[in-house]
Amino acid sequence: MHSIFISGAAQGIGAAIATLFYQHGYKVGIYDINIDQAQALAQQLGTRAKAGLLDVSDYSQWQHTLSEFKAWSGEINVLVNNAGILYSGAFEQTDITAHHRTIDINVKGVLNGCHAALPYLQKASFARVINLSSASAIYGQPDLVTYSASKFAVRGITEGLDIEWQKYGIRVLDVMPLFVQTAMVKDMDAGSIKNMGVHLSAEDVANQIYRQVQVKDSIFTPTHQPVGFKSKILFSLSKVSPQFVNRMSNMFLAKRE
């Protein structure tokens, strides 16, 4: 029986991932800084779910929780680096501590997770890493500057490790959704969300992640997977459009009334 370890799994996309994989027979690790919610979800799902406390910016917590989960599950097959935060609004009007916290969780959290999990993934019968990137990693987003930058970093980590860890037989992939109907986008202060709308559900993202875990590895398996029609269009256009066209498009999409 395969297992999956999910960071930031107590609610939103993480909870949807946990629920879907549990339904498909996986042993599920629900790890989150909100331990009460994580435990409630694990209890709701059943005996193949285990909850634990995890602050992804703390490497020692990663080491402890991964060791604990491996002892319970037998092996770790899938790591999903889902935990993330978002601050929106004008860059200069956002406190510098919020910018730093975004990097600590969205970037360092992924680095910590990948680094701490590798010894377990190497020993597993099957292993895959799925990182949560974003359509914000297609082109830098105004009013979401640090969040967008953090997702560019996740994109780079994913690309580099997907090549580097071929020697271990481990694929490292990511998903790139546009805005998702979760608490993260509630009261978000960015022109792009007003112009693009919120059309994806947490379940849409979870289903894409499940497909990426199940797909057979080949040279044609894409490292990045946009989620939703709009994300796919933006991702495709960014590959062929001149830079000034991408810039103008994003200026239009981010325009406020």
Side-chain angles (χ1 to χ4, degrees):
M1 184 185 298
H2 286 164
S3 71
I4 181 170
F5 183 106
I6 311 158
S7 70
Q11 60 184 330
I13 294 172
I17 297 166
T19 301
L20 180 63
F21 276 81
Y22 191 92
Q23 292 169 348
H24 283 280
Y26 277 69
K27 292 181 178 179
V28 176
I30 301 167
Y31 286 82
D32 200 286
I33 199 165
N34 189 329
I35 184 62
D36 292 337
Q37 273 190 291
Q39 289 175 336
L41 178 58
Q43 186 173 12
Q44 175 188 327
L45 291 179
T47 57
R48 284 184 285 103
K50 179 176 176 57
L53 176 68
L54 175 62
D55 175 352
V56 296
S57 66
D58 186 334
Y59 186 73
S60 64
Q61 284 195 28
W62 272 104
Q63 291 176 303
H64 171 74
T65 55
L66 286 165
S67 175
E68 174 187 78
F69 181 68
K70 193 270 181 186
W72 176 80
S73 65
E75 64 176 5
I76 300 176
N77 302 105
V78 182
L79 167 67
V80 179
N81 284 304
N82 169 71
I85 59 169
L86 180 152
Y87 292 95
S88 61
F91 177 82
E92 68 276 12
Q93 293 174 12
T94 303
D95 194 88
I96 192 62
T97 58
H99 292 297
H100 288 179
R101 186 165 182 259
T102 300
I103 298 301
D104 286 342
I105 294 172
N106 295 9
V107 181
K108 293 181 182 178
V110 174
L111 290 172
N112 287 341
C114 290
H115 194 278
L118 179 58
Y120 302 104
L121 297 170
Q122 284 178 286
K123 296 174 182 176
S125 57
F126 162 81
R128 188 155 290 182
V129 177
I130 309 292
N131 294 325
L132 268 290
S133 185
S134 166
S136 297
I138 297 172
Y139 197 91
Q141 294 298 298
D143 301 320
L144 297 169
V145 169
T146 306
Y147 176 79
S148 181
S150 74
K151 294 305 182 178
F152 268 96
V154 172
R155 178 175 176 171
I157 293 165
T158 303
E159 290 175 354
L161 287 182
D162 192 33
I163 295 171
E164 187 173 335
W165 286 1
Q166 282 189 78
K167 60 192 174 189
Y168 303 128
I170 302 170
R171 288 302 303 268
V172 182
L173 312 174
D174 67 28
V175 291
M176 304 176 76
L178 200 56
F179 304 115
V180 182
Q181 296 165 6
T182 67
M184 182 180 283
V185 302
K186 186 179 180 181
D187 300 322
M188 200 171 105
D189 181 20
S192 53
I193 193 170
K194 297 177 176 64
N195 294 320
M196 298 290 285
V198 183
H199 303 290
L200 290 174
S201 68
E203 289 72 24
D204 291 329
V205 182
N207 283 322
Q208 182 58 60
I209 290 172
Y210 183 75
R211 288 192 289 270
Q212 284 186 274
V213 170
Q214 299 305 309
V215 69
K216 291 185 178 180
D217 182 27
S218 80
I219 59 173
F220 301 108
T221 303
T223 304
H224 307 297
Q225 186 59 59
V227 183
F229 178 74
K230 290 182 179 180
S231 294
K232 291 175 181 177
I233 292 296
L234 291 171
F235 188 67
S236 298
L237 288 176
S238 70
K239 298 178 183 178
V240 297
S241 301
Q243 193 274 338
F244 80 90
V245 173
N246 291 328
R247 182 175 184 272
M248 294 298 293
S249 297
N250 279 273
M251 286 177 66
F252 174 76
L253 292 173
K255 187 177 180 180
R256 295 173 181 268
E257 295 294 334

